[in-house]
Amino acid sequence: MTTPPPPQLPGNLKSNPRLGQWLRVDPQGFVELSPGKVEIGQGILTALTQIAADEFDVAPERIRLKPATTAASPNEGVTSGSLSIQDSGSAIRHACAQARGLFLASAAERLGVDASQLTVEDGAIRGPGNVATSYWELAESVDINLDATPGIKAKAPAARKIAGASAARLDLPEKVFGQRRFIHDTLYEGVLHGRVVRPPSPGAKLLSLDETAARNIDGIAAIVRDGSFVGVVADSELAAVRARDALAKSATWSEGLELPDFHNLANWLKSRPLESKVVAEKKTAVSAVPARAIRREFTRPYTAHASVGTSCAVAQWQGDKLNVWTHCQGIYNLRADLALVFGMSESDIVVEHREGAGCYGHNGADDVGLDASLLARAAPGRQVRVAWSREEELGWGPFSPAMAIAVEADLDDAGDILQWRFDLWSNGHATRPGRGDSPTLLSGYYLEKPFPMLPGGNMPLATGGGADRNAVPAYAFASQRITNHRLLEMPIRTSALRSLGAFANVFAIESMMDIIATEKGEDPVAFRLRHLEDARARAVVEAAARRANWGKQKREDGVGYGIGYAKYKNLGAWCAVVAEVECGRDIRVRKLTIAVDVGEVINPDGVVNQIEGGAIQATSHALKEAVTFDRERITSDTWETYPILKFSEAPAVEVEIINRPGERALGAGEGAHGPTVAAIANAIADAMGVRVYDLPLTPDRVIAAVNAA
Amino acid sequence: MSDTIQLTVNGGSRSINCDPSSPLLYVLREQCGLTGTHFGCGLNQCGACFVLVDGQPLASCDTPMWSVAGKSVVTVEGLGSPGKPHPLQTALIEEQALQCGYCISGIQISAAALLEKNPDPTDKDVREALDGNLCRCGAHNRIVRAVRRAAEAMREGAKA
Ligand code: FES
Ligand code: FES
């Protein structure tokens, strides 16, 4: 008999075991919850509140959320990768269960009864013979500043009343009434305003600057120059904007880096210095011999996060100590890079989170934190607020890398797949701060003593990968080899954008599956099911197909249906999407029918909201988006040159959740991205009989494919 | 270059001392303390900064102060409040219609102007009215549902 392994602490409790770091019970009758994960519009604070309320037996209204700060909060790393429910939720559940036990033990002692005879309802503790006390009464005598113990039993899923039911988002009312909730608004009065002058193109160096016109603007407090970093501080926002524009007009710059050839990105990607790595390989001897091979190439352009709100931060120096308020996804990570830039100890910096607009990955949120810190040095003791312009947001934040993908399949004479080879070329998808010896914050590259702009890397595949995320197909092929060719130079700065490489990889894999199925004359859904062994994978594919009435839809001219499937990161949510697309003068995605399995569901309406939002955003990426550039500068830095999906273009979306109570809760934020673009591409091919291999899937490309056929 | 400009903001009359070429957005946020109106692009391309000027939705980022002299400006704060919500605000919360919510002030302005003109808009009417407002989070369909729900509530209210 083997002994079971000793129990472990769940999620982020492992690295932050002290209970008091996660929650505090206040005698005034409330519970302060301190997650290290942050709200980025995904509703995480609501879900974590649900979990805590359930496990601690208090009404959700009694829970107050403390903004994450490096001065106190648990270090939960970066809020990304759809991991928050899993890593933070499980930690909070455990911490609350254990804290509840400590309170009950103390109550038992005080009341002279056995703890097992006590009940808790909304913080009120009762026992036999009408004895009673409460968390609030006990708050001062119960010490929860101790380390969590592994093996604490949380409530059984069936006993949970709050987690698992739809809950209204806590942050919505303030946002709807225009009250101060966003960082853009909360720290506004009494601050100084800063703005940065960006070079005309990446890597350009400042040659000369005439400050006269800017100095003549009323309200200018300081002009800051450090190498090629130029900025201004003023006592009103408008003055800062006008001074920035005046400085920009007067500045002259050297030429910057040579940018890639926009019109031939695949060639450009493949001809760079590369690090090539086989990331997955499988060989099974089969008796069939390959009758032929089929090879296709796919590309996707650079794309932008394109938040509707621009990146914003506030910084304040007090002596040698720095305070930064930010909407970035990882407060500890930003702190680490700020410490590197300023050559100071992390303990002299406090980074505190405030809500921002949706970011969808590593956008300019961290960068603007450095901008504010650099400018605030010119106004010691004062809070300096910097908000990026639209042009900075679309032109200077990190982009999602362009990718080229080649898929080759050896088929036997029945047209079945014997061997699958998948090669991808891409810059790394991770240049987040706080992960290396050199800071990755934009303005750091332009200082008098500049930090090098090192090419981005990727997380290991075992924890989700980067460029190679979802490059390993979910299907059972006898033999396969997946190779990631990472670029060793990075003229265009790239980092993480929602779903990372999965967007292009799932597009390529799922397109190829349809191509092979169609050649065989087999139904794409049946073909997939024949190659899927995982029961939960099959369940979402079947559910989406059933709900979309797959195979029984009325055929209309120019209208097609397509399916796409992936299990996010091959570790997370299972998701299948059926797209109905109309191809005319425009390409219109009429409807997306989605089935998703995120394990145990904490907030069903929250999951639907995340999946639907992700699918609509993925539709925008699929149909419209590409960062454009000439050999010197980014040319897509306004909404006119970088259009995104509009209200009249948004597809109808139906979401079916397959709930799995008791199964590990998985994030929903990114699960729909890959399957959505794949379903749309396959639907276009179904409608038109020709296929587009390059994203975005524009009418021009469809016409070109028709003409070439 | 400073001048005094008279206008009405959310029902109250104000006289504002400013450079007449200042965009209304900055005056609302900095001088009136109304930060519910958001900056998104500064180029009249996103709708985040929309306000009603004499009932018309306008990009406050692109509206100089001289052009609103004597006019009536309504911001999201003027549409309703937690104690006295606009039907749109009630419906947006009931439908849980936002994700990050950065876009929602401007969207309420476009929607309020639509409902003023058209008490019973179709799905298509609402979408067309909101095409000047960008939402990056993909909350579009929920927002459209909320606007139609608000329209229905307002029609019911008018009957009662
Ligand atoms: S900020 Fe005015 S329209 Fe975008
Ligand atoms: S809800 Fe985030 S931009 Fe609309």
Side-chain angles (χ1 to χ4, degrees):
Chain A
M1 244 182 67
T2 54
T3 42
Q8 280 200 343
L9 288 174
N12 290 333
L13 211 49
K14 275 194 218 77
S15 43
N16 303 273
R18 202 158 45 79
L19 295 178
Q21 240 187 326
W22 295 87
L23 77 160
R24 184 178 71 78
V25 178
D26 193 287
Q28 300 297 323
F30 63 89
V31 179
E32 193 175 66
L33 193 65
S34 303
K37 294 288 181 185
V38 299
E39 184 65 49
I40 47 177
Q42 83 284 41
I44 186 65
L45 296 185
T46 308
L48 296 178
T49 299
Q50 287 180 274
I51 291 173
D54 236 343
E55 215 53 53
F56 202 50
D57 280 319
V58 294
E61 297 73 46
R62 289 204 192 259
I63 294 183
R64 299 193 185 166
L65 288 148
K66 215 173 124 177
T69 166
T70 59
S73 310
N75 182 350
E76 295 205 75
V78 179
T79 301
S80 69
S82 303
L83 291 170
S84 302
I85 287 281
Q86 191 176 317
D87 292 349
S88 190
S90 61
I92 285 176
R93 176 168 283 153
H94 182 110
C96 289
Q98 184 166 356
R100 182 180 183 276
L102 292 171
F103 273 89
L104 285 187
S106 161
E109 205 181 295
R110 175 179 292 206
L111 302 172
V113 296
D114 197 79
S116 65
Q117 293 178 294
L118 296 173
T119 61
V120 193
E121 206 185 315
D122 193 17
I125 304 173
R126 289 195 183 81
N130 270 336
V131 294
T133 178
S134 71
Y135 287 161
W136 332 119
E137 242 172 63
L138 298 169
E140 269 158 9
S141 53
V142 179
D143 181 15
I144 58 168
N145 267 314
L146 39 89
D147 281 357
T149 332
I152 297 284
K153 265 223 156 45
K155 286 185 182 171
R160 296 177 191 147
K161 296 192 201 91
I162 302 164
S166 288
R169 286 258 306 273
L170 303 164
D171 51 329
L172 294 203
E174 285 183 347
K175 291 174 174 175
V176 165
F177 292 110
Q179 294 169 332
R180 299 187 174 191
R181 175 111 197 169
F182 293 106
I183 187 170
H184 307 78
D185 313 327
T186 47
L187 296 156
Y188 199 68
E189 258 139 39
V191 302
L192 293 174
H193 294 270
R195 287 297 186 276
V196 177
V197 181
R198 297 291 166 205
S201 47
K205 297 228 172 334
L206 183 66
L207 300 175
S208 72
L209 185 71
D210 179 356
E211 300 182 359
T212 329
R215 292 225 176 262
N216 282 335
I217 290 170
D218 261 3
I220 293 307
I223 291 172
V224 176
R225 185 172 166 184
D226 181 341
S228 296
F229 172 83
V230 182
V232 61
V233 181
D235 58 17
S236 85
E237 193 165 13
L238 187 56
V241 168
R242 289 186 165 164
R244 189 256 329 267
D245 293 349
L247 286 173
K249 238 194 211 150
S250 81
T252 61
W253 300 84
S254 73
E255 257 175 52
L257 300 166
E258 192 193 24
L259 301 186
D261 178 3
F262 178 75
H263 298 287
N264 206 341
L265 276 176
N267 262 359
W268 181 83
L269 289 163
K270 291 179 190 173
S271 59
R272 294 307 96 191
L274 298 166
E275 172 198 78
S276 300
K277 215 159 88 190
V278 175
V279 292
E281 190 161 26
K282 179 169 88 178
K283 280 191 194 127
T284 316
V286 284
S287 52
V289 279
R292 63 198 184 88
I294 161 168
R295 180 190 161 90
R296 295 287 188 277
E297 290 206 19
F298 303 85
T299 66
R300 56 153 277 175
Y302 291 93
T303 52
H305 300 75
S307 289
V308 168
T310 60
S311 295
C312 179
V314 176
Q316 179 181 32
W317 288 90
Q318 280 166 316
D320 295 335
K321 306 233 190 288
L322 172 63
N323 271 283
V324 176
W325 292 265
T326 172
H327 57 98
C328 76
Q329 293 174 290
I331 50 173
Y332 286 92
N333 295 60
L334 175 56
R335 185 180 69 165
D337 267 21
L338 289 172
L340 289 174
V341 172
F342 293 109
M344 55 198 284
S345 149
E346 289 185 15
S347 58
D348 288 333
I349 306 176
V350 173
V351 177
E352 201 170 312
H353 185 265
R354 290 286 182 276
E355 286 175 32
C359 62
Y360 330 107
H362 176 204
N363 69 348
D366 295 278
D367 297 329
V368 74
L370 174 58
D371 294 341
S373 305
L374 287 166
L375 295 179
R377 282 197 298 192
R382 297 289 306 271
Q383 287 185 317
V384 174
R385 171 191 185 272
V386 179
W388 274 12
S389 65
R390 175 50 47 196
E391 293 82 348
E392 283 172 287
E393 195 68 30
L394 286 174
W396 289 94
F399 296 119
S400 183
M403 289 171 72
I405 294 167
V407 197
E408 199 169 24
D410 292 341
L411 307 177
D412 64 15
D413 47 13
D416 272 317
I417 301 162
L418 295 173
Q419 140 107 242
W420 174 276
R421 290 177 296 277
F422 188 98
D423 284 76
L424 69 96
W425 292 262
S426 171
N427 262 126
H429 286 243
T431 55
R432 283 192 188 272
R435 290 184 176 161
D437 308 329
S438 190
T440 64
L441 303 168
L442 174 63
S443 293
Y445 305 139
Y446 294 88
L447 300 176
E448 178 73 50
K449 284 206 208 90
F451 294 94
M453 186 161 93
L454 303 172
N458 293 303
M459 301 216 297
L461 204 52
T463 49
D468 50 2
R469 181 166 292 179
N470 279 102
V472 181
Y475 303 106
F477 302 139
S479 298
Q480 63 188 22
R481 191 184 66 223
I482 289 87
T483 312
N484 179 4
H485 308 274
R486 181 173 72 92
L487 271 69
L488 298 176
E489 62 179 54
M490 187 179 70
I492 292 184
R493 185 171 168 239
T494 62
S495 195
L497 193 160
R498 210 169 183 180
S499 91
L500 279 56
F503 190 74
N505 292 328
V506 175
F507 162 64
I509 292 171
E510 292 293 283
S511 295
M512 198 68 172
M513 288 298 279
D514 261 38
I515 292 167
I516 297 170
T518 311
E519 287 204 2
K520 261 180 78 66
E522 191 171 342
D523 173 74
V525 169
F527 184 68
R528 280 176 178 73
L529 289 172
R530 198 154 65 73
H531 289 87
L532 278 176
E533 286 165 350
D534 174 0
R536 288 169 79 175
R538 300 173 61 88
V540 292
V541 170
E542 284 165 345
R546 193 185 323 114
R547 202 174 172 120
N549 213 10
W550 182 264
K552 298 183 213 104
Q553 303 103 332
K554 205 168 82 227
R555 300 302 306 196
E556 286 171 67
D557 230 24
V559 176
Y561 301 86
I563 186 156
Y565 160 77
K567 172 172 166 57
Y568 185 50
K569 301 180 185 177
N570 291 335
L571 302 165
W574 290 257
C575 181
V577 177
V578 173
E580 176 182 332
V581 177
E582 183 186 333
C583 299
R585 196 145 28 101
D586 293 320
I587 297 175
R588 250 180 67 73
V589 179
R590 285 184 181 171
K591 185 168 183 184
L592 299 170
T593 308
I594 305 178
V596 63
D597 173 349
V598 291
E600 175 177 352
V601 177
I602 306 293
N603 183 353
D605 188 59
V607 170
V608 172
N609 200 353
Q610 278 292 292
I611 290 287
E612 173 170 341
I616 290 177
Q617 188 178 88
T619 304
S620 182
H621 281 297
L623 298 184
K624 309 194 90 146
E625 297 180 34
V627 172
T628 59
F629 38 85
D630 55 30
R631 297 315 283 257
E632 279 156 34
R633 48 184 86 182
I634 305 292
T635 50
S636 52
D637 63 354
T638 67
W639 290 121
E640 219 162 68
T641 45
Y642 192 89
I644 62 172
L645 207 69
K646 293 190 295 193
F647 270 87
S648 57
E649 299 166 326
V653 182
E654 252 184 53
V655 182
E656 180 168 325
I657 303 179
I658 302 180
N659 192 4
R660 309 272 186 192
E663 292 287 348
R664 199 157 54 103
L666 303 165
E670 298 160 292
H673 260 59
T676 299
V677 61
I680 294 171
N682 287 336
I684 293 173
D686 181 52
M688 304 302 291
V690 293
R691 186 168 283 277
V692 177
Y693 296 89
D694 303 296
L695 295 173
L697 308 164
T698 59
D700 285 355
R701 286 193 162 132
V702 174
I703 293 167
V706 169
N707 290 341
Chain B
M1 333 184 260
S2 222
D3 224 335
T4 303
I5 290 174
Q6 309 276 349
L7 75 164
T8 308
V9 179
N10 294 335
S13 66
R14 319 260 320 206
S15 63
I16 307 250
N17 209 310
C18 65
D19 166 357
S21 71
S22 305
L24 172 60
L25 173 65
Y26 293 105
V27 170
L28 289 172
R29 291 178 59 88
E30 298 202 75
Q31 286 175 257
C32 305
L34 296 167
T35 51
T37 304
H38 290 139
F39 173 86
C41 68
L43 298 166
N44 194 0
Q45 294 176 353
C46 78
C49 68
F50 278 10
V51 297
L52 294 172
V53 176
D54 286 350
Q56 291 300 316
L58 278 190
S60 63
C61 69
D62 201 25
T63 299
M65 280 306 288
W66 59 260
S67 72
V68 294
K71 299 198 173 165
S72 161
V73 173
V74 176
T75 69
V76 63
E77 293 95 335
L79 286 182
S81 61
K84 210 169 166 275
H86 188 284
L88 274 168
Q89 296 172 321
T90 310
L92 284 166
I93 294 169
E94 278 169 354
E95 289 285 340
Q96 292 287 293
L98 21 160
Q99 290 201 18
C100 80
Y102 194 86
C103 62
I104 211 68
S105 312
I107 285 176
Q108 292 178 59
I109 294 294
S110 299
L114 168 73
L115 297 185
E116 222 19 73
K117 287 194 309 240
N118 180 354
D120 191 7
T122 61
D123 185 273
K124 192 160 168 265
D125 294 337
V126 177
R127 286 177 196 273
E128 276 167 11
L130 298 184
D131 262 350
N133 294 88
L134 298 178
C135 172
R136 182 54 157 170
C137 293
H140 305 75
N141 296 340
R142 285 177 176 236
I143 292 169
V144 172
R145 275 204 296 279
V147 173
R148 297 191 66 199
R149 182 171 181 156
E152 196 185 316
M154 287 165 78
R155 291 197 305 276
E156 294 297 310
K159 267 192 246 155

